[in-house]
Amino acid sequence: MDFQNRILTHFHNSIDTKSQASEVLPAHIEYASRLMVDSLLNEGKILSCGNGGSAGDAQHFSSELLNRFERERPSLPAMALSTDTSTLTSIANDYSYNEVFSKQIRALGQPGDVLLAVSTSGNSANVIQAIQAAHERDMKVVALSGKDGGNMASLMTAEDCEIRVPSDVTARIQEVHLLVIHCLCDLIDEQLFGGM
């Protein structure tokens, strides 16, 4: 196989995964956006977390809310929990890497806030502990997952929202996660600011 055909295979696989996701995810994405908007309208905030590429997605989401997405509008309260290296390394060193997000949520999370928890496998131990801590703080959870939802799936309550990408390939799941994040940002802006 030459390189260009290999590249085309990646494009086609990505398109196929997005097409499958478009058939099952829109209602979940809409519900997640409503959870987030309800929190923001009630002076809540959105905390986000993940590891590796999912940490990048969590940071991408918070930056789109804090700064702007595609329109000029006031900044919205959001924070990625993967950005403070001193906090992350001190918790990992003094306690456990599995607690790097949960300890922050216990300190910063308030009832009515929302946690955006990102894990392609649904099995990241520190993201699972983050979900548990969010529930302890009376927060709702929006989980971005893939594959079979992993251990995160069993933690979702009736008020939470799991957006599970129908794929077993990490790269494809991450590509859809980014699209979901952009959908959430657009829907949040539309609900809060309309035709502003």
Side-chain angles (χ1 to χ4, degrees), residues 19-185:
S19 179
Q20 292 171 33
S22 74
E23 295 175 11
V24 296
L25 296 185
H28 299 285
I29 297 168
E30 180 183 359
Y31 177 63
S33 77
R34 292 185 187 281
L35 288 179
M36 292 176 173
V37 166
D38 185 58
S39 175
L40 294 168
L41 287 173
N42 288 288
E43 299 187 15
K45 61 188 171 297
I46 303 169
L47 304 177
S48 58
C49 67
N51 298 285
S54 297
D57 287 340
Q59 291 167 214
H60 186 132
F61 177 79
S62 68
S63 72
E64 302 279 31
L65 290 192
L66 276 167
N67 184 30
R68 64 186 295 273
F69 179 52
E70 291 186 325
R71 65 174 82 184
E72 293 300 327
R73 48 101 169 123
S75 296
L76 299 172
M79 172 189 281
L81 302 177
S82 55
T83 59
D84 183 344
T85 55
S86 295
T87 295
L88 293 171
T89 55
S90 70
I91 294 169
N93 183 65
D94 295 346
Y95 296 94
S96 162
Y97 188 70
N98 291 344
E99 297 182 56
V100 294
F101 302 135
S102 59
K103 284 185 74 72
Q104 293 184 76
I105 289 167
R106 288 188 184 99
L108 303 170
Q110 297 294 322
D113 289 347
V114 172
L115 172 66
L116 177 66
V118 188
S119 172
T120 58
S121 69
N123 289 319
S124 300
N126 57 5
V127 177
I128 287 168
Q129 287 196 21
I131 292 169
Q132 292 167 333
H135 287 150
E136 290 167 15
R137 298 293 293 160
D138 238 359
M139 297 168 58
K140 292 188 175 78
V141 176
V142 173
L144 298 187
S145 66
K147 302 181 182 177
D148 64 359
N151 293 324
M152 284 179 14
S154 65
L155 298 176
M156 296 293 102
T157 70
E159 293 185 322
D160 294 333
C161 181
E162 182 190 11
I163 301 172
R164 186 188 304 174
V165 178
S167 176
D168 290 324
V169 180
T170 298
R172 302 293 84 84
I173 296 167
Q174 289 174 327
E175 290 159 5
V176 177
H177 280 180
L178 181 58
L179 178 57
V180 169
I181 284 166
H182 286 160
C183 289
L184 289 171
C185 292

